[in-house]
Amino acid sequence: MTIEVLSDRRAASGSPVDRPDVCLRRRRWATLLLVWLAFLISFVDRLIWANVASSVGVSLGLQLAALNVFVTAFYTGYVLSNFGSGFLTDRLGGRLMLLLALVPLGAFTFLFGFTNSIPYGLVLQALMGVAAGADYAAGVKLITAWFGRRDRGRAMGLYLTAPTVGVAVTNALVPALIDAFDWSTIYQFFGVVTVGIGVLCFFTLKNEPPTGPNTAPEQRPAAAPVNPLILLRNRNLIFLALAGFGGIWGSFGFIFWVNALLIRGHGMTPVDAGGIAALFGLGALIGSPLVGLLSDKLGRRKLPIIASLVAFIVLLLLFGGIHTPILFWIAAPLLGAAAFVYQPLLGAMIAECAGLALAGTATGVTNACWQLGTILVPLVVGVVFQMTGAFSAAFITLALGPLFAMAAMVLVRESSHPAT
């Protein structure tokens, strides 16, 4: 297929970028749709637990609080997987890696439906985490290959709406299914769906756009992967990993604690607290693609990231000081937008700093560092709130994360000629 050059534009990096023809443009958005769908089903599989934990507790004869060990088992496997899955993605390609992530994830999800003991369930959850940890780097790798710098921020913003949509889909669909089916049947159903999406991705996706004399430099296949140890000397990646850790600290700390803090700190009903949390998610869903598009227009990632982190800090502190119920409803979507818009831009910057050949490795390792925030922040905020009993103290603790992230971002040197 010959790509007709419609115009010779200058990319933000300063290199010429040819506008892809209609077929190529459609193909790359279809690629984004498929990797988004893969990321979505991965999140649905891990979020089923929140809706069926009580039923599983009855089946296993356990107190509900004791079932948190299953969550720990999943995220232990998830974090460990991120360290190695990115490297494999660079070696095997995003297309094959999605197959190797989703098919085992679907199989382990299916088998979890047969859980009849704690050891069996813990092993299956850990294996689910290992499989689920491999899809994010594969998706970023494919987006980096198919989208040039002019469109990559918007693409990453859309890609990272999958977790938010996953929360909405799971909370809307699984409770309805529980009324009609046993919890084990639900896991088996989603296991089969996950395998099907993995097979669909394998037979539909391509690792890179077709090559030709007019193919844009950012859309040409990368050279053979180079030694990943060179990433250890990349100061920008180190600071981006630290920034992501701090950002995730605030974002997921809020998600984990907002309902409990609103109920215990302000005496809200679970329904009202849940509604405020839902508006938080809506803000994240709308904000990420818009800020990604803005960064594409500006040709810069660093400034929008720092601006979003500043807004995140301010809104967390304001939210912690609110005492009027209506103000919670107003602030929640704004806070949701600020709490997540930096993530797709960080993801794009990491891929651009590492270059396409090592985009998977860099994404996997930095994401593993980020996820350490999800493990630590619930514990720290819980201790602070228990010691002080103060709603505002909990939110000051959350705000320390994005403050740390902002400091790390100031030290990032954004090149006008990023690797692509």
Side-chain angles (χ1 to χ4, degrees):
M1 177 179 64
T2 302
I3 300 178
E4 180 183 359
V5 181
L6 299 179
S7 65
D8 184 14
R9 302 176 300 172
R10 289 277 169 182
S13 62
S15 59
V17 176
D18 298 329
R19 187 192 302 269
D21 68 2
V22 174
C23 291
L24 184 58
R25 191 181 302 116
R26 289 175 178 173
R27 184 63 182 269
R28 67 179 183 176
W29 288 108
T31 297
L32 176 61
L33 175 61
L34 285 171
V35 298
W36 180 89
L37 187 62
F39 202 23
L40 172 67
I41 195 61
S42 170
F43 257 84
V44 169
D45 288 343
R46 77 186 71 176
L47 293 171
I48 295 172
W49 179 255
N51 292 278
V52 305
S54 59
S55 299
V56 178
V58 172
S59 298
L60 299 180
L62 293 174
Q63 295 295 322
L64 185 61
L67 295 175
N68 286 332
V69 294
F70 286 89
V71 179
T72 301
F74 178 92
Y75 277 99
T76 299
Y78 183 84
V79 171
L80 292 175
S81 174
N82 270 277
F83 280 108
S85 61
F87 176 79
L88 288 176
T89 296
D90 288 331
R91 288 298 183 270
L92 303 177
R95 170 175 169 265
L96 178 57
M97 201 62 201
L98 277 182
L99 179 75
L100 296 178
L102 293 182
V103 170
L105 175 59
F108 297 141
T109 301
F110 182 89
L111 292 173
F112 187 79
F114 296 96
T115 298
N116 56 13
S117 69
I118 296 176
Y120 178 90
L122 288 176
V123 170
L124 263 297
Q125 281 289 332
L127 291 173
M128 287 171 62
V130 170
D135 68 338
Y136 176 66
V140 172
K141 177 84 170 182
L142 288 163
I143 290 172
T144 304
W146 278 88
F147 286 84
R149 182 171 168 80
R150 280 185 176 272
D151 300 305
R152 196 174 292 142
R154 176 174 44 164
M156 284 293 297
L158 291 168
Y159 179 56
L160 287 175
T161 62
T164 306
V165 175
V167 172
V169 168
T170 308
N171 287 313
L173 187 58
V174 174
L177 292 174
I178 290 175
D179 291 337
F181 302 100
D182 185 75
W183 70 267
S184 59
T185 304
I186 296 173
Y187 267 100
Q188 292 158 15
F189 168 75
F190 281 105
V192 172
V193 171
T194 303
V195 170
I197 292 175
V199 172
L200 174 66
C201 289
F202 180 74
F203 285 104
T204 306
L205 292 171
K206 299 292 183 184
N207 284 330
E208 293 131 356
T211 59
N214 295 323
T215 304
E218 291 185 334
Q219 295 166 334
R220 291 173 187 155
V226 292
N227 185 353
L229 293 178
I230 66 173
L231 295 177
L232 298 177
R233 301 194 298 269
N234 191 321
R235 67 184 302 275
N236 276 351
L237 287 178
I238 294 172
F239 289 127
L240 289 170
L242 294 174
F245 171 84
I248 290 292
W249 175 285
S251 301
F252 283 87
F254 183 91
I255 290 175
F256 290 146
W257 274 103
V258 62
N259 290 61
L261 290 172
L262 288 172
I263 293 169
R264 296 184 61 183
H266 286 276
M268 285 192 177
T269 66
V271 173
D272 286 340
I276 290 172
L279 284 177
F280 176 85
L282 179 63
L285 181 64
I286 297 173
S288 291
L290 291 179
V291 174
L293 176 61
L294 174 63
S295 78
D296 290 337
K297 297 297 184 182
L298 293 175
R300 291 289 184 271
R301 316 279 187 217
K302 178 177 175 177
L303 182 59
I305 290 173
I306 292 177
S308 68
L309 290 170
V310 170
F312 190 16
I313 295 166
V314 171
L315 287 168
L316 277 173
L317 296 176
L318 289 176
F319 200 92
I322 290 175
H323 297 284
T324 307
I326 188 63
L327 293 179
F328 285 115
W329 293 91
I330 295 172
L334 300 175
L335 182 56
F340 284 96
V341 295
Y342 65 86
Q343 290 188 39
L345 304 187
L346 280 177
M349 281 195 79
I350 287 167
E352 289 162 0
C353 286
L356 180 55
L358 290 173
T361 301
T363 297
V365 172
T366 53
N367 190 48
C369 296
W370 294 5
Q371 297 307 319
L372 294 176
T374 66
I375 297 173
L376 296 175
V377 67
L379 301 174
V380 175
V381 173
V383 170
V384 170
F385 187 68
Q386 183 175 353
M387 292 177 61
T388 64
F391 187 78
S392 58
F395 277 84
I396 290 172
T397 304
L398 290 175
L400 293 176
L403 180 63
F404 176 78
M406 185 181 69
M409 281 304 305
V410 170
L411 298 175
V412 172
R413 298 171 183 168
E414 184 173 25
S415 172
S416 59
H417 301 279
T420 55

